[in-house]
Amino acid sequence: MTTTGPARDTALHADADRPSRREQILQAAAQLFAERGSRAVGVDDVGAAVGVTGPAIYRHFAGKDAMLAEMLLRISERLLAGGRERVAAAGADPAAQLRALIAFQVEFALGNPALITVHDRDLGSLAEADAAQVRRLQRRYVEVWVAVLARLHPAADAAACRVRAHAVFGLINSTPHSAGQLDRAATATLLTGMAEAAARAW
């Protein structure tokens, strides 16, 4: 089965059904940055994508770099908050916590293909202070996983659990490269099984 096209990224919206103008701009920018790279996209391009003039964008953002910074900060904050919430809701069992984290990451990856592409390609284009903040948030998200993996693998040290977590992220976040090969449900099932096997493997 194939999909009809990439899903609209959801992580930039407080309410995906009623995005604010600012969120619409970020969504359009994310899609354009994913397609062309942030350096090849101008403010006028983003404005055209949301049906406003380029100068109107400046009522919401100082410029293209500010859009990139906000979108990457937003998704990093959402991952950290969401990961913590899923672990807390799963109870004390580390196996249940791992399943909750994997489900959350798979859901995020399938719902935000453009943002994954932008992050992988354009994080280095951020101003140093913004990039440092994104990386701090991401390290804290990784440590949520490390704490769970350490309980599942008590003989492993933190460094090994960290490598394991990054390997699982790489597997799940590969989805932009396979978009359209399977429908969303089938892709989620496949990724979930593979990620759990990778997280548990020695």
Side-chain angles (χ1 to χ4, degrees):
M1 290 180 287
T2 60
T3 59
T4 57
R8 181 180 67 178
D9 289 39
T10 58
L12 297 174
H13 301 145
D15 181 350
D17 293 324
R18 299 179 63 185
S20 67
R21 174 62 79 184
R22 187 181 186 87
E23 290 169 341
Q24 291 172 4
I25 292 168
L26 282 177
Q27 176 58 51
Q31 192 63 47
L32 290 171
F33 291 175
E35 292 170 359
R36 307 180 198 172
S38 63
R39 294 182 181 178
V41 176
V43 171
D44 288 341
D45 297 321
V46 178
V50 292
V52 300
T53 61
I57 298 290
Y58 291 106
R59 290 201 292 270
H60 299 276
F61 295 98
K64 184 176 63 176
D65 291 345
M67 296 179 210
L68 178 62
E70 181 162 334
M71 70 177 68
L72 295 185
L73 285 167
R74 277 198 187 198
I75 64 170
S76 300
E77 290 166 349
R78 181 159 290 193
L79 282 169
L80 177 58
R84 287 173 169 171
E85 289 168 3
R86 295 296 181 96
V87 168
D93 178 16
Q97 292 173 348
L98 175 64
R99 288 193 295 272
L101 283 173
I102 289 172
F104 172 62
Q105 186 67 36
V106 168
E107 178 186 345
F108 180 89
L110 293 178
N112 299 280
L115 287 169
I116 289 174
T117 299
V118 172
H119 174 273
D120 287 347
R121 187 171 56 204
D122 293 321
L123 177 59
S125 298
L126 285 180
E128 184 175 345
D130 291 327
Q133 188 174 356
V134 168
R135 291 190 176 101
R136 279 195 298 272
L137 290 165
Q138 292 176 344
R139 283 194 296 270
R140 290 163 67 187
Y141 179 56
V142 171
E143 293 310 306
V144 173
W145 283 72
V146 168
V148 172
L149 290 167
R151 294 181 62 203
L152 284 169
H153 300 282
D157 61 19
C161 291
R162 205 166 286 117
V163 169
R164 191 184 300 271
H166 282 291
V168 173
F169 296 154
L171 188 160
I172 295 172
N173 291 346
S174 67
T175 49
H177 302 291
S178 58
Q181 299 301 308
L182 297 172
D183 68 24
R184 179 165 175 151
T187 301
T189 298
L190 181 60
L191 288 175
T192 298
M194 293 178 69
E196 186 162 355
R200 290 178 172 276
W202 285 99

